[in-house]
Amino acid sequence: QQEAPGGKVVMLRATVVAAIVGAASAFSIAPVAGPASLAKADASMRLRSAPRTTSRVAPKMSASDGFVPDMGRRQLMNALLLGSISGPILVLPAVLISYLVPAKAGGGGGGTIAKDALGNDVKVEAWLKTHGPGDRALVQGLKGDATYLIVTEDKTLENFAVNAVCTHLGCVVPWNKAANKFCCPCHGSQYDKNGKVVRGPAPLSLALAKRGEVDGTVVFSSWTETDFRTGVAPWWKA
């Protein structure tokens, strides 16, 4: 049975159309995104590309940790502390020096003011009221040494004073009224009533000092003349 020529033509045309449609769908263009979609994609890319940074926040100190002053306050506190410590340290040497160095008499006469056991200036009139003839009593003399003031038989003060420091080993020599001598209790040295050595082991007589008076106050100065007890130059000048 012979097929009509017109049917073959129709089938051929349908096949060609189907092939064309299939080819067109293979090369179709994707739909273009709108402006909102593009902005969202751009923001997403920025977030991915941005480097990750770690912020360091200084820890805050709570009130329970205590107050921490700033630098200015710390410097002020350090200065106050240094001043409170250095003040007494600087003043203390001056106080000690003024205490240890014997006081000087005022006026043109000069000399060292004699001090009694309580640290008071020795007044001639008051001293003679409480010390009789022949009395030998200790006061503070030159260089702070214990020194004997001597009351004469006519109730005046001798113009010299006797240093009480033994010339052997430095003991303070007491006055022995019964023996009428200065007798050292350390090693037995003895001195006469004016301090001249009369028994060893002390090698030298007791040192002398000049006794003067300024405004009614007893003052001492160095004895530089010949020692009237021995007739030779004073050994304590050396």
Side-chain angles (χ1 to χ4, degrees):
Q1 190 175 1
Q2 190 174 2
E3 186 178 358
K8 290 183 179 181
V9 173
V10 172
M11 291 180 62
L12 181 60
R13 288 179 179 175
T15 303
V16 172
V17 171
I20 293 173
V21 171
S25 63
F27 292 97
S28 63
I29 299 172
V32 180
S37 300
L38 291 176
K40 185 175 180 180
D42 184 58
S44 176
M45 293 178 65
R46 289 179 185 174
L47 290 175
R48 291 194 194 99
S49 62
R52 180 175 296 177
T53 58
T54 303
S55 59
R56 295 183 180 180
V57 180
K60 295 183 179 179
M61 182 169 290
S62 63
S64 61
D65 295 328
F67 172 73
V68 179
D70 57 21
M71 183 59 68
R73 291 183 180 178
R74 275 189 253 176
Q75 290 177 347
L76 178 60
M77 292 168 65
N78 291 338
L80 292 175
L81 179 61
L82 180 61
S84 64
I85 295 175
S86 61
I89 293 177
L90 294 175
V91 172
L92 184 59
V95 174
L96 292 176
I97 291 173
S98 64
Y99 176 78
L100 296 175
V101 176
K104 301 293 183 180
T112 299
I113 298 175
K115 301 286 185 179
D116 62 17
L118 299 177
N120 300 318
D121 295 353
V122 176
K123 300 294 183 180
V124 176
E125 185 178 355
W127 187 266
L128 292 176
K129 287 181 180 180
T130 56
H131 297 80
D135 182 83
R136 285 158 175 79
L138 286 171
V139 296
Q140 178 180 296
L142 297 175
K143 300 178 182 178
D145 287 347
T147 303
Y148 283 101
L149 275 181
I150 302 175
V151 181
T152 65
E153 295 300 324
D154 59 357
K155 291 205 67 174
T156 60
L157 289 176
E158 283 283 11
N159 63 356
F160 66 90
V162 178
N163 191 305
V165 179
C166 183
T167 59
H168 179 219
L169 292 178
C171 297
V172 174
V173 182
W175 168 247
N176 189 326
K177 186 175 181 180
N180 200 35
K181 290 186 292 187
F182 295 101
C183 301
C184 183
C186 296
H187 303 96
S189 299
Q190 296 183 4
Y191 308 84
D192 70 10
K193 63 179 183 179
N194 292 327
K196 179 182 178 180
V197 62
V198 294
R199 175 181 170 179
L204 300 166
S205 300
L206 297 175
L208 295 175
K210 288 183 179 180
R211 198 279 310 168
E213 181 179 336
V214 175
D215 298 329
T217 301
V218 176
V219 295
F220 296 122
S221 57
S222 298
W223 184 287
T224 57
E225 294 82 358
T226 299
D227 185 346
F228 65 89
R229 302 164 303 181
T230 60
V232 298
W235 61 264
W236 53 89
K237 286 182 62 178

